[in-house]
Amino acid sequence: MPVGMIYARRLAVLATSAALVGTGFLATAPAAQAAMPTPVSAATARTYLAALTVKAEGSSSGYSRDLFPHWITQSGACNTRETVLKRDGVNVVTDSSCAATSGSWYSQYDGATWTVASDLDIDHMVPLAEAWRSGANSWTTSQRQSFANDLTRPQLIAVTDNVNQSKGDQDPAEWLPSRTAYRCTYARAWVHVKYYWNLSVDSAEKSALQSVLNGC
C-alpha cells in the first residue's frame, strides 16, 4: 500500500479514536492487549485445586493492609501499580515519575475500556484479607510483601476501580467477574496463586472453583 494511503488511514483511525476517548471510556477492547502472566491450564488448575488444603476460613483478627507492604519500587521510579498499568495497557505513556499520562486499558472483569489511569485499580486476584484468612497470617512481613507485589504469578491485574471495590475481599463462592467469558481464566488464576503460595480454601470456595473449572 502506498505510504500516502497508509498515512491517511492512520489519520482516520486516530480521528475516530479521539472522538471516542473524550469521556475516558471506550466500549470495545483494543486489538492488542497486554495481560497478567498466563495462569495454568484448566486441567492443571483442577489438579492444583484437589491438592489444596480445605479448611474453614480463618479470622480477620489482626489483619491490616499495612502488613502486606505493596506498590513497592520495581525499577527506576516505577512502583508495582505503575508497572502493572504499563503492562496491562496499550500505548501507555508515562512521565518522569512513571505515572501513566495516557493509554487505554481493557478491564477483563467487566469488558470496559478506560483511557484515564485513575479509573483503574490494580486488583489482587487473591485479596490480601482473603490470603490472611487462608494462611498468610502466619507469614513474615517479607513474604506478605512478595505476595502483594507478585508480578510473576497471575496475582495482579488492572481493572475498573469500582468493580474491584465491589469484589472487595470475597472469594469465588461470593464473587465472580460479571464478564462470564473471563470466569475460566479467573478461576485458573485464583487456584494458581493459592497453590503457589500454599494457601487454603474453604469448602464453598472449592466447590465454586470446581464448578467454573469443570466448564472450561
Side-chain angles (χ1 to χ4, degrees):
M1 182 182 294
V3 173
M5 292 180 66
I6 294 174
Y7 182 69
R9 177 171 291 182
R10 286 178 179 170
L11 284 177
V13 170
L14 287 171
T16 301
S17 297
L20 290 170
V21 301
T23 62
F25 174 78
L26 295 175
T28 56
Q33 175 69 27
M36 69 178 184
T38 303
V40 294
S41 68
T44 299
R46 285 191 287 270
T47 299
Y48 282 5
L49 181 58
L52 291 178
T53 298
V54 180
K55 60 188 294 187
E57 201 167 81
S59 168
S60 292
S61 177
Y63 167 74
S64 167
R65 287 179 67 85
D66 293 339
L67 295 173
F68 292 79
H70 52 291
W71 307 168
I72 61 172
T73 300
Q74 291 292 339
S75 61
C78 303
N79 66 24
T80 307
R81 171 183 164 82
E82 294 157 347
T83 300
V84 174
L85 282 172
K86 190 168 184 179
R87 181 200 70 189
D88 288 5
V90 175
N91 299 324
V92 177
V93 176
T94 56
D95 63 19
S96 59
S97 64
C98 204
T101 57
S102 64
S104 65
W105 292 267
Y106 179 70
S107 172
Q108 295 284 1
Y109 290 0
D110 59 333
T113 298
W114 301 95
T115 59
V116 178
S118 59
D119 287 322
L120 284 298
D121 277 356
I122 307 305
D123 180 42
H124 288 95
M125 177 63 61
V126 175
L128 304 182
E130 160 66 25
W132 176 268
R133 297 190 297 266
S134 303
N137 60 321
S138 65
W139 293 352
T140 64
T141 300
S142 177
Q143 285 175 305
R144 288 192 286 263
Q145 175 175 294
S146 295
F147 175 81
N149 297 276
D150 188 357
L151 294 168
T152 306
R153 265 64 54 181
Q155 164 67 345
L156 299 171
I157 184 172
V159 297
T160 302
D161 53 3
N162 61 356
V163 172
N164 177 53
Q165 291 152 23
S166 73
K167 171 183 171 178
D169 62 355
Q170 300 176 94
D171 69 33
E174 304 158 321
W175 189 93
L176 286 168
S178 61
R179 182 170 165 257
T180 56
Y182 197 68
R183 289 183 178 179
C184 181
T185 302
Y186 186 86
R188 288 159 48 208
W190 183 281
V191 173
H192 186 158
V193 171
K194 281 227 160 174
Y195 182 85
Y196 178 84
W197 289 97
N198 194 30
L199 294 168
S200 62
V201 290
D202 63 48
S203 57
E205 176 187 354
K206 181 175 182 178
S207 178
L209 287 163
Q210 284 175 325
S211 179
V212 175
L213 292 172
N214 286 340
C216 294

